[in-house]
């Protein structure tokens, strides 16, 4: 079995590749950086340029599932030109794939599974969101995710199963938001953001990768939230990080006004609130390895996670 992954070289992509290999699934991947190309039997890179629509059709050979993660990071100051890049990189990646597949004489692709984000749900301290929610957050993030998901839906016309994984705050040792939150805590300078009441619907990176493979294996279609069953407030998250890295929390919360001054519009990433449900994927049979924040952080900072352990009992 062979999957094609875009954005395979990023934080989430690397974990999905690791899990694919642990389960005997070979990976082709598309990268925008020629220096990231590797040509092994089970890990074969192909260059693409979503800006110009350039793509090597050999990447589809023997592929039954496409996992789409490509997109410029949102964790960079949101200038007008960078906002355009955030949107264009996602839309162009999907349209490049779509056009290439649409022009193939034949292929074996059964599923197109794309990253999406819980940023689509309107920020709220009270609401508890499931996938049936129709309202979209009135923010740049809401706009990005709406446009992104609409583009993903174009694949339905290719008669391929389409799945959108609405990803929450990814907790991983080596990248994403967690190390940035944990570093000041380790230096006795950690503090929660704003009121600290905002909901953080987080997910451990291994569980996230398992969800991608679970939806592929079970041919699930539609929208799925990829968040752990127990979201926490920002106050609780920082407290749990402090416990995991064995430091006291000394400082008061950083006021929202200061965060806005430092991060500009991007402050929305840490100040908005989404309490999101994992019920749908659980009802389809997915079992979280890390349902609680303390065990998820322990697996990262307690170094209890055994590399490759997921080769057994993944699904
Ligand atoms: N991490 C989170 O907390 C989180 C939460 C919600 C949603 N997501 C979404 O999940 C996806 C994967 O997240 P991640 O954290 O793994 O992201 P990441 O580490 O930034 O990796 C994204 C990958 O996308 C590719 N890429 C970068 N700029 C691109 C561009 N202009 N055009 C096409 N491809 C480009 C890069 O691969 P190459 O250099 O190989 O081309 C990069 O490795 C992203 O779309 C992200 O928005 C992540």
């Amino acid at each position: 079995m062979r999957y094609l992954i875009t954005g395979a070289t990023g934080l989430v992509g690397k974990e999905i590749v690791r899990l694919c290999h642990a389960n005997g699934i070979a990976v082709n991947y598309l990268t925008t950086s020629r220096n990231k190309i590797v040509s092994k039997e089970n890990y074969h890179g192909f260059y693409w340029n979503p800006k110009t629509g350039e793509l090597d059709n050999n990447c589809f050979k023997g592929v039954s599932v496409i996992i789409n993660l490509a997109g410029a990071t949102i964790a960079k100051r949101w200038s007008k030109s960078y906002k355009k890049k955030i949107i264009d990189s996602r839309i162009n990646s999907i349209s490049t794939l779509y056009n290439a597949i649409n022009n193939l004489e034949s292929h074996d692709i059964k599923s197109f599974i794309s990253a999406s984000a819980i940023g689509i749900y309107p920020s709220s301290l009270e609401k508890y969101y499931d996938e049936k929610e129709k309202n979209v957050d009135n923010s740049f993030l809401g706009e990005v995710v709406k446009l992104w998901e609409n583009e993903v839906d174009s694949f339905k016309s290719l008669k391929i199963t389409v799945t959108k994984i609405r990803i929450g705050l990814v907790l991983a040792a080596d990248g994403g938001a967690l190390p940035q939150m944990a570093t000041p805590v380790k230096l006795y300078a950690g503090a929660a953001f704003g009121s600290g009441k905002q909901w953080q619907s987080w997910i451990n990176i291994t569980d996230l990768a398992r969800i991608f493979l679970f939806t592929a294996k079970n041919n699930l279609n539609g929208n799925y939230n990829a968040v752990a069953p127990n979201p926490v407030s920002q106050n609780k998250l920082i407290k749990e990080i402090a416990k995991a890295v064995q430091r006291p929390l000394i400082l008061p919360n950083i006021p929202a006004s200061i965060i806005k001054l430092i991060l500009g519009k991007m402050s929305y990433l840490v100040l908005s609130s989404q309490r999101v449900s994992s019920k749908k994927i659980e009802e389809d049979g997915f079992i979280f390895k890390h349902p609680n924040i303390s065990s998820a952080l322990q697996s990262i900072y307690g170094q209890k996670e055994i590399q490759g352990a997921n080769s057994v009992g993944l699904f």
Side-chain angles (χ1 to χ4, degrees), residues 6-14 29-33 36 48 50-51 68-74 82 85 88-90 92-93 115-119 148 165-171 175-177 203 205 208 212:
T6 74
T9 61
L11 178 70
V12 177
K14 279 185 201 150
Y29 65 98
L30 286 164
T31 176
T32 57
S33 304
K36 291 187 191 168
W48 72 332
K51 260 195 230 166
N68 174 56
L69 308 166
T73 180
I74 56 159
Y82 193 70
K85 185 166 178 177
D88 288 352
S89 59
R90 285 169 173 76
N92 293 341
S93 295
S116 175
I118 63 167
W148 198 10
I165 308 291
R166 291 178 170 167
I167 304 173
L169 176 70
V170 179
L171 299 186
I203 183 163
I205 189 153
L208 174 59
F212 274 90

Side-chain angles (χ1 to χ4, degrees), residues 178-289:
L178 182 62
Q180 295 189 30
M181 287 191 272
T183 302
V185 176
K186 285 180 190 167
L187 298 171
Y188 300 89
F193 306 127
S195 73
K197 289 181 187 159
Q198 64 274 38
W199 287 100
Q200 308 266 256
S201 294
W202 57 274
I203 183 163
N204 172 281
I205 189 153
T206 303
D207 275 338
L208 174 59
R210 290 175 62 237
I211 285 180
F212 274 90
L213 267 62
F214 181 84
T215 55
K217 181 172 189 242
N218 295 292
N219 205 28
L220 302 181
N221 71 71
N223 299 338
Y224 281 90
N225 294 330
V227 295
N230 297 295
V232 292
S233 68
Q234 159 74 200
N235 277 337
K236 167 93 173 156
L237 178 63
I238 294 289
K239 266 188 205 148
E240 290 293 336
I241 292 172
K243 218 194 282 173
V245 301
Q246 298 175 17
R247 293 286 191 280
L249 267 186
I250 304 162
L251 300 177
N253 289 13
I254 308 166
S257 53
I258 306 266
I259 295 172
K260 283 179 190 158
L261 209 64
I262 299 169
L263 297 179
K265 294 219 167 77
M266 203 177 85
S267 58
Y268 196 75
L269 278 179
V270 292
L271 296 174
S272 67
S273 174
Q274 276 101 6
R275 184 175 177 224
V276 176
S277 167
S278 59
K279 212 166 160 206
K280 185 177 174 194
I281 192 83
E282 290 183 281
E283 284 177 352
D284 281 338
F286 184 79
I287 297 169
F288 283 87
K289 289 198 171 189

Side-chain angles (χ1 to χ4, degrees), residues 11-211:
L11 178 70
V12 177
K14 279 185 201 150
E15 184 66 8
I16 295 178
V17 170
R18 186 182 79 74
L19 224 48
C20 282
H21 288 163
N23 286 274
I25 300 166
V27 172
N28 285 356
Y29 65 98
L30 286 164
T31 176
T32 57
S33 304
R34 290 188 198 276
N35 61 7
K36 291 187 191 168
I37 292 178
V38 173
S39 292
K40 290 190 204 159
E41 173 48 29
N42 70 348
Y43 188 61
H44 195 144
F46 296 85
Y47 174 76
W48 72 332
N49 184 345
K51 260 195 230 166
T52 59
E54 181 184 349
L55 178 149
D56 178 350
N57 281 347
N58 288 317
C59 71
F60 298 117
K61 274 196 191 146
V63 166
S64 57
V65 172
I66 299 179
I67 293 179
N68 174 56
L69 308 166
T73 180
I74 56 159
K76 209 167 152 184
R77 216 173 168 84
W78 294 354
S79 64
K80 203 174 165 195
S81 62
Y82 193 70
K83 276 165 130 178
K84 185 168 160 26
K85 185 166 178 177
I86 289 174
I87 294 176
D88 288 352
S89 59
R90 285 169 173 76
I91 304 298
N92 293 341
S93 295
I94 295 166
S95 62
T96 298
L97 285 169
Y98 177 93
N99 292 334
I101 295 168
N102 199 25
N103 288 325
L104 291 176
E105 275 181 17
S106 67
H107 63 77
D108 301 316
I109 302 158
K110 307 271 180 296
S111 309
F112 182 69
I113 306 170
S114 180
S116 175
I118 63 167
I120 195 163
Y121 298 121
S123 179
S124 167
L125 290 177
E126 294 85 27
K127 292 208 169 134
Y128 188 28
Y129 291 115
D130 65 22
E131 293 83 348
K132 289 192 215 93
E133 176 64 39
K134 290 276 174 281
N135 292 316
V136 174
D137 193 40
N138 182 21
S139 68
F140 171 63
L141 273 191
E143 180 195 349
V144 170
V145 183
K146 187 75 198 150
L147 291 168
W148 198 10
E149 290 200 349
N150 283 347
E151 198 67 25
V152 173
D153 282 337
S154 66
F155 268 75
K156 288 181 186 166
S157 70
L158 296 174
K159 308 269 181 293
I160 291 172
T161 301
V162 173
T163 317
K164 285 160 279 179
I165 308 291
R166 291 178 170 167
I167 304 173
L169 176 70
V170 179
L171 299 186
D174 308 325
L178 182 62
Q180 295 189 30
M181 287 191 272
T183 302
V185 176
K186 285 180 190 167
L187 298 171
Y188 300 89
F193 306 127
S195 73
K197 289 181 187 159
Q198 64 274 38
W199 287 100
Q200 308 266 256
S201 294
W202 57 274
I203 183 163
N204 172 281
I205 189 153
T206 303
D207 275 338
L208 174 59
R210 290 175 62 237
I211 285 180

